[in-house]
Amino acid sequence: MLFGRHNESATLDGLIAEARAGRSQVLVVRGEAGIGKTALLDQLESRAVGFRIVRSSGAEAEMELAHAGLHQICGPFLDRLHRLPDPQRIALSKAFGLVGGEAPDRFLVGLAVLDLLADRAEERPLICLVDDAQWLDRASAQTLAFVARRLMAERVVLVLAMREPGDDRDFRGLPELTVTGLGEVEAGRLLDSVVKRPMDARVRDRIIAETRGNPLALLELPRAWTAAELADGFERPDPLVSRIEQSFVRRLSALPEDTRRLLVAAAAEPLGDATLLWRAAALLGLGPNAGDAAEAAGLIQLGSRIRFRHPLVRAAAYRRASTEIRQAAHRALAEATDADVDPDRRAWHRAHASPVPDEQIAAALELSAARAQSRGGLLAAAALLERAASLTPDSDRRADRELAAAWRKRGGGALDAALALLAAVEAGPADELRTAEAKHLRGRIAFDQRRATEAVPVLVDAARQLEPLDRELAQEAYLDALGAAVLSSTTDDAAGAVAAAARAAATIRPEPRVTDLVLDALATRFIDGHAAAVPSLTRALDSVRNIDHRGEDVSRLLWLGSDLFTGYLASELWDFEAGRCLAQAQVQRARDAGALVQLQFAVNALAVVELLAGRLTDAAVLIDEDRMVSDITGNRPVGYAATLLAALRCTGDGASRLIAAVRDEALALGEGRIVNFAGYASAVLNNGLGRHDIAVKAAREVFDRDAVGGYSMMVVSELAEAASRTGDTDLVTAASQRMSARSAATPTDWALGMAARLRAIQGGPDVAASFRESIEHLDRAGLRTEVSRGRLLYGEWLRRTGERTEAREQLRAAHETLLAMGATGFAERARRELVVMGEKTLQRSIETTEELTVQEFHIARFARDGLSNAEIGTRLFVSPRTVEWHLGKVFAKLGISSRRQLRNSVLDFPPDQPPD
C-alpha cells in the first residue's frame, strides 16, 4: 500500500478491471518530480496479475534519437512483425532501421504499433507503462499519442507518466490523473517511517510543509541530511527537485568509485541494455561486481535490463560526475556499440564523448541525421544536425548545419523551434547565400503559419538576394512568393507584381526544370491572362504530375505538388483527373516524408476533390486527418475543405457558423483565397437550402473579385443557379459568358459540362439538349456531385415546363444519388419536387442508421463494401479487434446478423447528418 494514494490506486485498479472486460484504457499521470508517479506505475504492475507488462522510460539525452522510446515498447514483440499486413510491417521495420528504403508513412507506423500491441493482447491483456514521457523523442511521442487515441477494444492499458508542466502537446486531451502532494497526516506517517530518532514537533511540521507532501522528498531527504540540517527544517533556497536530486548525490557519493563510474555508464545508456553496459564496463576497467554496492543501496537493479530506482537517481548519477568521467563512459559505450548494427547510437555516444569540436564526429552525426530522415524522423534529423553543428570546428560549416536543421524542423511542423534556430544562423558568420536562404526559410514558415500577407515581402526579398548567388533557389523563392500572394490576395495586384519580378529574373534553359515551367505558367497567367497562359499552364501541370520524388529532394520539392498547385493549376485548366492524381500524390509524399504542415494542406486539396466526386465520407476522413495533425503539431487546422463538406451536407445553422468562422479567421490572417472558398461554400449551402438570395450575395462577392486561384470559376455555376431563381438575368448572362470563354480556352469535360449547364440555365432554343450535354460531360469527368446536381436542375426545369414523366426520371435519379452520397440539402430539394408530382414513399431520413455513432457508421459502410476488418482498420486507423467490436454493436443496433445484410441497412452518409 502507498501512503495517501487510495483514490489514485482505485483509478489504476479500474484500468485493470476495464481491460479484463475487453476495453482498452489510456491514462496520463501528471505530477512534479518525486510526487509518486513511478511508485504508482510499480503498484499497477504488481496488481496486474495475468497481464503482460512492458515498460519504457523517456530519457532526456535520447530525445535526439528517432523512435528510441517506441523501440523500448515494441522491442519485445518484434518477432511478431510478420503477422502485420505488409504495408504496416514494412513501415515499422523502416522506422526501426530494420530495412532500408524511403521514409515510412508515419500513420502506417502508428497503425503498425497499434496492431502489434493488439495482436500481443489477444493472448492475454497487455499493460504498457511509460515513465518520464516528457522526455520521449518526438517521433515516439507522436506515435504513442496516435495509438492512445485509437485504443478501444484491444485489452491494452497504456499509462504515461510525465512531469507537469511541460511541452506535452502530443498527449493533450487524453484522460488524465494529476498526482499531488500527500496530506499532512499521510505525509507525517511517511516521514515517521524514515526518521526513527526523536524530532521536535515544530521541526517535523516545517519539514512536511517544506516538502509540500512530496513522497520522494520525505523518503530521501531525511536519509541524506545531517541532524543539524534536519533541525534547520529544510529551509533552503534551492528548488525541491534539486534538493531531492542532491540527496541522491549524497547517497551516491558514499559508494565506491568503480560503482559510481558504472552508474554513470548506465545513466548514459538509456535503453537499459545490460549486455552493452557490461561490454562498456570492461572497456572502462570495471569488474563484474562493480554494481553490487548500488544494488545493495536500492539505487539500481542490474538484471537482463537495467533499471534505476527513480529517474532522479539516473539524473544524479550522470550530472554529479565530472565531464571527463561522462565522456569516458560515452567513449566506452561508443566502442561497445556495433557500428554496423547501430551506427546512429554509436555516433551519438561519440558526440557526447568528444571534449572538443570534431569534424569527423560531426560528419557521422550528419549521416545519422540522413538515416533518421529516411525513417520519417524529420525532427530527430534536425536534433542530430544541431548536435553535429555544435561539434563542427568551422564556423561557416556550423551555420550551414544549423540551417539544414532549421529546414527539417520546419518540415516536421516544429515551426517555432525552426525560427529559434534561424536566429542562431543569422547571428553566425556573414554569408550572402546563407543569409538569403535563411530569409527564404523564414518566409516559408510565415506561409506555413498562415501569415501569407507577411510572407510575401520576405520571400520577394529572399528571391532578389538569391538572384546573383543561386538562380535556381531564386526561382524557388519567387514561386513561394507568388504562392503566398495567391493565398493572401483578394485581387490580382500583389500576385501580379510578384509575377512581373519573377519573369524579369527568369532563366532561359534548353531543358527547363519543373520550377521554371510552373513559375513561367503562373507569371503568364497573372500578366497576360488565362487564354494566353493555357499552353504554359498545361506544360507546368504535366511537369508537376511527372515529378519523380524518388530522385528528388522531397523535403524541398513537396511544395511543387502543394495545395496551391493541385488546387490551382488543375482547376485553371479544368482538369479534374489531373487534380485528383496530384492531390493523391501530394498526400502520399507528405505522409512519407513526415511533413506534417504540408500534409494538412494536401489532405484539404484531396478532400475537395473527393467532395466534387461525390465521396463525402472519404472527404470527411481526410478532414479529420487535418484536425489530427493539428493536434499533433499544435498548428491551426487548414480547415477550408470542412466548409464545403458542411455545405453539401446542409447542416443548416451549424454549417453557416462554420463557414463564417473559417471566413473570419482567413480575413484576419489575410488569406483571400480561403475567404473566396468560404464564399463559394456559402453559395453551395444556400443553394442547397433554397435560400437563393443569400447564395447570390455570397457568390457575387467571389465572382466580382475574379482573383486568380481564388475559386472564382468554381462559383460561376452557383451564381447562375441562384441568380436564375431571384430573377437577375443580367447576372446569369455574365456568369454564362465568363464560363463560355473559359471553356473555349480549356475544352475539357469539366469546363464544357459547366458551360453547357449555364447555357441551359440562361435559357435558349434548346435547354433540354444543353442540360443533357452538361450531364454527359460531367459524368465523363467523374464529378458525381455535379452530375447529380445537374439532374436536379434539369428535373426542376422539366417539371416547370410540364414534362412530368421525364422530370420524375431525372429527379428520382438525383434524389437517390444525392441522398446516398450525403448531399442532403440538394436531395431534399429533389424530394420536394417529387412530392409535388405525387410521390409518397420517398426516404427523408435514415431510419436504419439513426442509432449508429459516426465511427460505427464508417465501419459499417466499409464492411458493407466488402472490406475485411484489417482493411477497415487501415482506413480508419484503428485495430482489427476494435473494428470487430464496433461491428458487433452495429449488428445489434440494426437487428441483423451478417455483413451481407448491411447492404440494405447502411447508406452513404453519416447518421448525424440526416436530411432536414
Side-chain angles (χ1 to χ4, degrees):
M1 287 294 296
L2 299 175
F3 285 105
R5 296 299 186 212
H6 175 77
N7 292 336
E8 292 87 345
S9 297
T11 298
L12 298 180
D13 288 344
L15 302 182
I16 296 172
E18 289 292 307
R20 289 191 197 280
R23 294 179 289 273
S24 292
Q25 299 293 300
V26 175
L27 186 67
V28 176
V29 180
R30 299 182 183 276
E32 65 182 21
I35 204 66
K37 303 183 298 295
T38 302
L40 286 168
L41 297 189
D42 291 340
Q43 184 185 68
L44 177 61
E45 180 177 355
S46 69
R47 293 188 178 188
V49 178
F51 282 71
R52 181 180 179 91
I53 310 292
V54 60
R55 290 190 73 148
S56 70
S57 179
E60 191 171 10
E62 270 211 329
M63 294 176 75
E64 300 167 359
L65 296 176
H67 300 109
L70 193 64
H71 197 281
Q72 293 183 56
I73 291 285
C74 298
F77 312 137
L78 292 184
D79 59 335
R80 292 171 171 259
L81 273 179
H82 67 281
R83 296 164 65 95
L84 297 178
D86 284 347
Q88 297 175 32
R89 176 181 54 78
I90 294 169
L92 193 58
S93 297
K94 287 179 180 178
F96 289 157
L98 302 177
V99 298
E102 299 173 8
D105 181 332
R106 70 191 321 155
F107 297 104
L108 275 179
V109 172
L111 188 57
V113 173
L114 176 63
D115 283 356
L116 194 66
L117 299 181
D119 178 73
R120 191 64 187 83
E122 286 286 344
E123 296 176 3
R124 55 174 170 154
L126 174 67
I127 292 182
C128 300
L129 305 175
V130 183
D131 210 347
D132 273 331
Q134 76 278 358
W135 285 337
L136 286 170
D137 62 278
R138 191 69 194 283
S140 295
Q142 290 176 343
T143 301
L144 286 174
F146 176 95
V147 170
R149 290 183 171 88
R150 282 154 185 82
L151 286 170
M152 185 165 293
E154 300 81 2
R155 299 197 305 167
V156 174
V157 175
L158 174 60
V159 181
L160 304 114
M162 62 179 61
R163 292 188 189 176
E164 189 179 31
D167 181 12
D168 57 351
R169 59 187 172 186
D170 297 314
F171 302 111
R172 288 174 190 163
L174 296 176
E176 293 184 4
L177 171 65
T178 299
V179 183
T180 57
L182 299 176
E184 288 188 17
V185 174
E186 297 298 339
R189 289 179 57 205
L190 184 59
L191 179 63
D192 294 342
S193 72
V194 178
V195 181
K196 302 300 182 182
R197 54 188 176 277
M199 188 185 309
D200 183 277
R202 290 170 299 178
V203 172
R204 180 178 180 275
D205 291 344
R206 189 192 239 174
I207 290 173
I208 293 170
E210 287 285 329
T211 58
R212 304 188 306 279
N214 184 293
L216 189 63
L218 290 163
L219 285 170
E220 295 299 331
L221 297 184
R223 295 176 179 172
W225 253 249
T226 65
E229 288 166 331
L230 279 175
D232 193 39
F234 289 10
E235 198 168 58
R236 294 170 164 272
D238 48 325
L240 180 62
V241 171
S242 65
R243 278 183 270 160
I244 299 172
E245 189 173 321
Q246 188 60 34
S247 75
F248 284 127
V249 168
R250 293 194 178 202
R251 293 177 65 186
L252 289 166
S253 298
L255 300 175
E257 175 64 24
D258 282 1
T259 302
R260 295 200 301 270
R261 291 178 64 200
L262 180 71
L263 293 184
V264 173
E269 178 43 63
L271 282 184
D273 186 334
T275 302
L276 180 63
L277 175 62
W278 289 114
R279 245 188 343 249
L283 294 170
L284 290 167
L286 305 177
N289 298 320
D292 290 354
E295 277 200 291
L299 297 173
I300 196 170
Q301 295 176 10
L302 297 170
S304 57
R305 307 293 296 177
I306 309 300
R307 284 183 62 182
F308 282 89
R309 177 180 179 229
H310 191 276
L312 286 177
V313 179
R314 178 194 294 277
Y318 190 79
R319 292 173 186 168
R320 70 161 297 282
S322 66
T323 300
E324 292 78 10
I325 289 176
R326 289 200 301 267
Q327 289 171 345
H330 282 292
R331 195 174 300 114
L333 286 164
E335 190 174 342
T337 300
D338 191 316
D340 294 325
V341 174
D342 201 347
D344 298 336
R345 193 172 297 278
R346 185 172 188 273
W348 180 76
H349 281 305
R350 288 183 67 200
H352 285 276
S354 180
V356 294
D358 186 314
E359 176 57 31
Q360 185 184 35
I361 296 176
L365 285 173
E366 197 167 29
L367 290 175
S368 291
R371 284 189 290 267
Q373 183 169 334
S374 73
R375 297 194 295 270
L378 276 172
L379 294 178
L384 290 165
L385 282 168
E386 275 193 273
R387 176 71 64 177
S390 70
L391 289 170
T392 303
D394 180 75
S395 58
D396 282 299
R397 187 78 185 97
R398 179 167 59 251
D400 288 340
R401 283 171 172 152
E402 288 172 338
L403 180 58
W407 276 103
R408 283 152 183 80
K409 283 183 182 292
R410 177 254 177 179
L415 303 180
D416 291 336
L419 288 172
L421 198 51
L422 270 182
V425 174
E426 292 163 345
D431 180 271
E432 288 185 82
L433 178 60
R434 188 166 52 243
T435 298
E437 284 192 274
K439 183 170 287 187
H440 184 191
L441 177 55
R442 191 175 287 280
R444 280 201 187 178
I445 292 172
F447 185 93
D448 292 337
Q449 291 176 328
R450 297 176 58 185
R451 296 182 288 112
T453 302
E454 297 175 35
V456 173
V458 176
L459 290 165
V460 170
D461 284 349
R464 287 172 175 159
Q465 290 177 26
L466 285 165
E467 277 185 52
L469 306 171
D470 189 318
R471 297 191 71 83
E472 291 187 359
L473 289 179
Q475 298 284 80
E476 291 185 15
Y478 272 123
L479 192 53
D480 280 337
L482 195 52
V486 169
L487 179 62
S488 65
S489 299
T490 54
T491 69
D492 294 347
D493 294 342
V498 177
R503 175 178 278 186
T507 301
I508 301 174
R509 309 169 195 270
E511 295 184 6
R513 301 178 310 147
V514 177
T515 309
D516 303 324
L517 293 171
V518 174
L519 190 55
D520 174 67
L522 294 180
T524 302
R525 171 65 181 91
F526 281 111
I527 296 170
D528 300 328
H530 177 266
V534 167
S536 56
L537 286 167
T538 302
R539 286 193 299 272
L541 183 61
D542 289 341
S543 68
V544 173
R545 290 186 70 174
N546 293 323
I547 291 175
D548 181 5
H549 65 280
R550 293 169 297 180
E552 301 279 4
D553 179 358
V554 179
S555 66
R556 295 183 70 91
L557 288 182
L558 271 167
W559 49 273
L560 279 174
S562 70
D563 166 68
L564 170 66
F565 301 111
T566 55
Y568 170 64
L569 286 178
S571 63
E572 280 288 303
L573 293 170
W574 289 84
D575 190 335
F576 184 70
E577 177 61 21
R580 182 186 64 80
C581 292
L582 277 176
Q584 288 175 334
Q586 174 66 1
V587 167
Q588 193 57 52
R589 288 174 189 171
R591 284 175 176 165
D592 288 347
L596 297 182
V597 173
Q598 292 89 333
L599 180 59
Q600 288 184 263
F601 284 94
V603 294
N604 273 268
L606 183 54
V608 171
V609 171
E610 298 288 24
L611 290 169
L612 294 175
R615 293 188 285 267
L616 274 63
T617 302
D618 292 341
V621 173
L622 290 163
I623 291 165
D624 285 342
E625 190 169 341
D626 174 25
R627 298 189 187 105
M628 178 178 65
V629 174
S630 175
D631 290 339
I632 290 172
T633 63
N635 302 319
R636 292 186 184 93
V638 173
Y640 67 85
T643 63
L644 183 55
L645 175 63
L648 288 169
R649 285 178 167 174
C650 277
T651 51
D653 291 342
S656 296
R657 286 193 297 271
L658 173 63
I659 293 169
V662 170
R663 182 181 185 277
D664 290 347
E665 182 184 42
L667 272 173
L669 292 168
E671 295 175 327
R673 188 166 183 253
I674 294 180
V675 171
N676 287 341
F677 192 90
Y680 162 59
S682 180
V684 172
L685 170 67
N686 288 291
N687 272 333
L689 293 172
R691 300 188 299 214
H692 300 297
D693 53 336
I694 302 175
V696 166
K697 182 180 178 182
R700 179 73 183 267
E701 289 180 359
V702 181
F703 183 81
D704 287 346
R705 293 188 192 111
D706 193 23
V708 174
Y711 299 100
S712 57
M713 289 312 300
M714 291 176 70
V715 84
V716 266
S717 178
E718 305 303 329
L719 179 64
E721 180 177 335
S724 70
R725 301 304 174 89
T726 59
D728 194 332
T729 56
D730 290 342
L731 266 184
V732 175
T733 300
S736 181
Q737 288 175 346
R738 187 179 292 182
M739 191 65 243
S740 294
R742 189 59 57 91
S743 65
T746 55
T748 64
D749 278 318
W750 187 4
L752 292 170
M754 298 308 288
R757 177 189 293 179
L758 267 64
R759 286 197 306 272
I761 291 174
Q762 188 179 8
D766 201 344
V767 172
S770 295
F771 270 127
R772 289 194 295 270
E773 178 187 347
S774 171
I775 290 167
E776 289 170 4
H777 279 300
L778 295 171
D779 190 40
R780 280 198 295 269
L783 290 113
R784 287 180 61 226
T785 301
E786 293 300 339
V787 168
S788 300
R789 289 186 62 187
R791 291 189 182 280
L792 170 61
L793 290 168
Y794 185 23
E796 289 173 331
W797 178 81
L798 287 167
R799 187 187 71 79
R800 290 196 301 272
T801 58
E803 299 290 335
R804 296 173 67 87
T805 300
E806 191 172 354
R808 281 194 180 93
E809 180 182 340
Q810 294 296 329
L811 290 168
R812 283 171 181 161
H815 178 260
E816 289 174 4
T817 54
L818 289 165
L819 188 64
M821 69 178 61
T824 53
F826 293 102
E828 178 63 10
R829 261 177 57 181
R831 190 192 71 83
R832 285 196 295 264
E833 291 282 327
L834 288 165
V835 168
V836 168
M837 291 190 293
E839 298 277 352
K840 297 180 180 178
T841 58
L842 296 170
Q843 185 176 3
R844 180 170 183 162
S845 59
I846 318 169
E847 293 84 358
T848 56
T849 60
E850 282 179 334
E851 297 182 24
L852 299 184
T853 66
V854 174
Q855 180 84 318
E856 289 166 354
F857 161 76
H858 287 312
I859 288 172
R861 173 179 170 270
F862 285 130
R864 178 206 66 184
D865 293 342
L867 275 67
S868 68
N869 287 358
E871 290 169 332
I872 296 171
T874 300
R875 292 282 190 95
L876 299 179
F877 299 113
V878 296
S879 73
R881 186 181 177 91
T882 289
V883 173
E884 181 181 0
W885 181 74
H886 274 303
L887 275 176
K889 296 176 70 176
V890 167
F891 288 174
K893 287 182 177 182
L894 299 181
I896 61 177
S897 58
S898 71
R899 288 175 176 241
R900 189 167 52 253
Q901 293 172 288
L902 285 171
R903 294 174 186 171
N904 300 320
S905 303
V906 180
L907 299 175
D908 271 343
F909 55 100
D912 61 341
Q913 305 294 346
D916 292 342

